[in-house]
């Protein structure tokens, strides 16, 4: 990712900044110009809480070169408390500990380094929610 694009997306990557529709209340991430629910153009910025639950997950064994040192890693579909569903890498968890419905929270972690002397890129990942009540 080039540096100008990275900085344009920094609010999404660091704060989970999306949009909420002023007409129907639908929450979108990433931000949308038009509501996918009612097609209204009346969108306003909305910062998600960063809390949610694992909807589904998988383990990635092959990836592009810049993420190569991280494989294998876990990726999940996360249902955020506010209603949006996003894809994110899971961190701070062993493979056998993740389960559907597990409470998670957003953290900012390193994505990758751009070459040997290039910038380091950070963004959101999700970890098990600290002090979460047991499910089941």
């Amino acid at each position: 990712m080039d540096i100008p694009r990275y900085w344009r997306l920094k609010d999404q990557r660091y704060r989970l900044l999306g949009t909420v529709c002023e007409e129907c209340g639908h929450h979108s991430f990433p931000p949308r110009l038009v509501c996918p629910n009612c097609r209204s153009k009346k969108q306003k910025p909305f910062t998600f809480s960063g809390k949610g639950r694992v909807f589904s997950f998988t383990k990635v064994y092959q990836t592009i070169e810049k993420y190569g040192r991280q494989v294998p890693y876990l990726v999940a579909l996360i249902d955020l408390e506010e209603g949006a569903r996003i894809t994110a890498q899971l961190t701070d968890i062993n493979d056998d500990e993740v389960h559907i419905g597990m409470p998670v929270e957003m953290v900012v972690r390193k994505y990758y380094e751009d070459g040997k002397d290039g910038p380091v890129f950070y963004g959101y990942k999700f970890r098990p929610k600290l002090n979460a009540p047991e499910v089941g």
Side-chain angles (χ1 to χ4, degrees):
M1 174 182 303
D2 60 31
I3 292 174
R5 181 170 183 240
Y6 183 81
W7 281 104
R8 260 193 329 272
L9 300 176
K10 72 180 176 9
D11 286 338
Q12 291 174 37
R13 296 189 182 276
Y14 293 157
R15 299 187 311 127
L16 282 183
L17 183 65
T19 51
V20 62
C21 178
E22 294 186 66
E23 295 289 326
C24 72
H26 181 82
H27 293 84
S28 295
F29 186 85
R32 308 270 178 137
L33 296 175
V34 176
C35 177
N37 189 50
C38 72
R39 306 289 186 241
S40 170
K41 292 184 180 179
K42 295 181 181 178
Q43 305 299 302
K44 65 180 179 179
F46 178 83
T47 302
F48 288 86
S49 68
K51 296 179 177 87
R53 293 191 176 270
V54 173
F55 174 79
S56 184
F57 64 94
T58 191
K59 192 172 190 178
V60 175
Y61 291 94
Q62 293 181 333
T63 187
I64 59 176
E65 184 178 333
K66 65 183 169 185
Y67 298 115
R69 291 186 291 184
Q70 298 178 29
V71 292
Y73 59 89
L74 295 168
V75 173
L77 287 173
I78 307 292
D79 284 337
L80 296 174
E81 285 182 348
E82 297 84 0
R85 180 175 288 162
I86 66 172
T87 304
Q89 185 177 349
L90 296 177
T91 188
D92 303 343
I93 188 167
N94 294 322
D95 298 354
D96 59 345
E97 297 172 328
V98 64
H99 59 274
I100 304 298
M102 180 178 74
V104 291
E105 61 189 358
M106 187 206 80
V107 292
V108 174
R109 293 285 197 274
K110 181 171 126 177
Y111 276 0
Y112 64 90
E113 294 179 43
D114 191 9
K116 181 180 177 188
D117 298 320
V120 178
F121 294 98
Y122 292 87
Y124 65 84
K125 294 185 181 183
F126 282 77
R127 69 175 179 202
K129 188 173 178 187
L130 300 178
N131 302 319
E134 288 295 317
V135 177

